[in-house]
Amino acid sequence: MAGLWTRMKTWSILHFLFCYILLVSGFITCFLMSLTLVLWPLNKDLYRKVNSYLAYLWWCQFTFLGQWWSGTECVLYIEPSDLQYIGKEHALVIMNHKYDIDWLMGWILTERFGMLGGSKIYGKKFLKYIPILGWIWYFTESIFLERNWDQDQKTLVRDIQEIASFPQDVCITILLFCEGTRFTEEKHRISMEVAEKKGFPYLKHHLLPRTKGFVLSLQAMKGKIPAIYDCTVAFRKDGAEPTLRNILHGRMCRAEMYVRYVCTVFCVLFNKSINQSIIVVIIVIIIVKIVLLHFF
């Protein structure tokens, strides 16, 4: 019986059925999202809550394929003291981009913590024109960039400040692939040549990160997005090759993700561009607390 079920997962008729369900449900989701635009000028928080649920209804079909259909595993490694914060606050997520389905592992984990509906991305501008997927990203306020820094820095500041105003009971994650592109051996070779010329350390499994957008995002957050999840995902060799094709064919992939929790307050404090008056105020508050604890 198990062998028959395994063979059934490779049947093209079932793959066609999955695609049909994704397309139909996707168009319905986008239609309903377009109707919610009337809520934007009246009640922005309500618009965002409704669309987070609508987005979840479509995105969870991908996590279904990953977790249930293929049985793919994603083991999370994180400090126990940091685990309490996940799913309870907004966060900027930075992750390596080496595999076809690294994003899916991120979605699987965000679903476990009840944050899938609030997932957003930094993406190229053309992505928002992709039917269904891009439209849903647009309605849920993902950030789209043109790879033109003069224009993108205005977009980043505006969109980050807008996203930071999300209601606290709709926890959001903004996914940023800091490498800017997917890892390949050729891109890695070129990236490390640049690293050698600039005196940067050699990275065995990563490309040099692009930092300008990340730094500007931190400045725009102004503490309203309190956390950074520094994620590194890798796949074990005793599982199937990490491709969408293998997921669709029901082959189990084995992923492991290491997450380092970073409070954005500390990042902002060490940013050279921070307003000095903010540092003074924080230092004064710390001194006052120390004095009060000492004497009282």
Side-chain angles (χ1 to χ4, degrees):
M1 188 65 182
L4 175 61
W5 179 238
T6 300
R7 288 197 300 272
M8 286 177 61
K9 291 181 179 180
T10 66
W11 290 358
S12 297
I13 185 71
L14 290 181
H15 302 162
F16 175 81
L17 179 62
F18 281 146
C19 292
Y20 176 77
I21 293 172
L22 276 174
L23 286 173
V24 173
S25 62
F27 281 116
I28 292 173
T29 299
C30 290
F31 173 72
L32 294 175
M33 283 183 163
S34 67
L35 296 181
T36 65
L37 288 173
V38 298
L39 296 174
W40 181 266
L42 303 174
N43 191 327
K44 193 180 295 186
D45 286 354
L46 179 59
Y47 166 87
R48 288 167 164 169
K49 289 179 181 179
V50 171
N51 277 329
S52 69
Y53 288 118
L54 291 174
Y56 175 81
L57 290 176
W58 197 67
W59 288 337
C60 71
Q61 296 176 63
F62 290 94
T63 57
F64 159 80
L65 287 175
Q67 294 183 101
W68 188 84
W69 182 255
S70 73
T72 290
E73 299 175 351
C74 186
V75 179
L76 174 66
Y77 294 90
I78 187 173
E79 289 292 335
S81 58
D82 296 334
L83 190 61
Q84 60 182 316
Y85 299 111
I86 298 184
K88 297 179 176 63
E89 59 185 9
H90 302 330
L92 171 65
V93 178
I94 56 176
M95 190 165 71
N96 60 316
H97 193 20
K98 190 174 182 177
Y99 310 96
D100 285 356
I101 57 171
D102 42 24
W103 57 272
L104 181 57
M105 299 305 102
W107 276 12
I108 287 174
L109 288 178
T110 54
E111 182 177 35
R112 290 180 188 174
F113 291 97
M115 303 174 72
L116 181 59
S119 299
K120 309 180 189 310
I121 65 161
Y122 290 78
K124 299 175 184 177
K125 188 176 181 179
F126 78 87
L127 290 176
K128 70 179 179 181
Y129 301 111
I130 296 177
I132 303 177
L133 179 62
W135 299 344
I136 292 177
W137 275 333
Y138 173 78
F139 283 121
T140 53
E141 301 174 72
S142 281
I143 300 172
F144 298 101
L145 305 172
E146 300 181 9
R147 295 291 179 89
N148 179 328
W149 181 242
D150 290 336
Q151 179 62 37
D152 287 345
Q153 58 184 330
K154 299 176 184 176
T155 302
L156 273 174
V157 172
R158 182 193 68 231
D159 289 358
I160 286 290
Q161 290 178 346
E162 190 66 46
I163 290 174
S165 66
F166 254 73
Q168 290 300 316
D169 56 344
V170 181
C171 287
I172 63 169
T173 59
I174 315 173
L175 176 60
L176 172 63
F177 291 121
C178 284
E179 295 162 303
T181 186
R182 182 174 296 172
F183 182 102
T184 66
E185 292 300 330
E186 178 63 18
K187 291 175 183 177
H188 181 252
R189 181 186 63 79
I190 296 172
S191 180
M192 291 306 98
E193 287 177 356
V194 174
E196 184 178 3
K197 291 178 182 178
K198 295 186 175 182
F200 295 151
Y202 180 85
L203 304 175
K204 187 176 180 181
H205 300 290
H206 296 80
L207 306 178
L208 281 180
R210 302 183 180 186
T211 58
K212 287 195 295 186
F214 173 74
V215 172
L216 186 60
S217 295
L218 284 181
Q219 296 172 8
M221 288 175 188
K222 297 179 179 178
K224 294 182 179 179
I225 297 180
I228 299 171
Y229 301 154
D230 179 11
C231 306
T232 302
V233 62
F235 286 83
R236 294 171 46 166
K237 294 182 179 180
D238 58 351
E241 184 182 354
T243 64
L244 276 174
R245 179 182 176 85
N246 280 335
I247 293 292
L248 193 59
H249 281 257
R251 298 173 186 136
M252 179 190 292
C253 302
R254 298 180 183 274
E256 296 185 352
M257 184 178 291
Y258 172 76
V259 177
R260 185 167 62 99
Y261 177 91
V262 182
C263 180
T264 56
V265 172
F266 296 108
C267 295
V268 175
L269 281 176
F270 287 100
N271 190 309
K272 294 181 181 179
S273 300
I274 188 172
N275 188 324
Q276 297 298 315
S277 62
I278 297 177
I279 297 179
V280 172
V281 170
I282 293 174
I283 292 174
V284 170
I285 292 173
I286 293 173
I287 292 173
V288 169
K289 285 187 176 182
I290 292 173
V291 172
L292 289 175
L293 287 173
H294 181 73
F295 289 103
F296 298 98

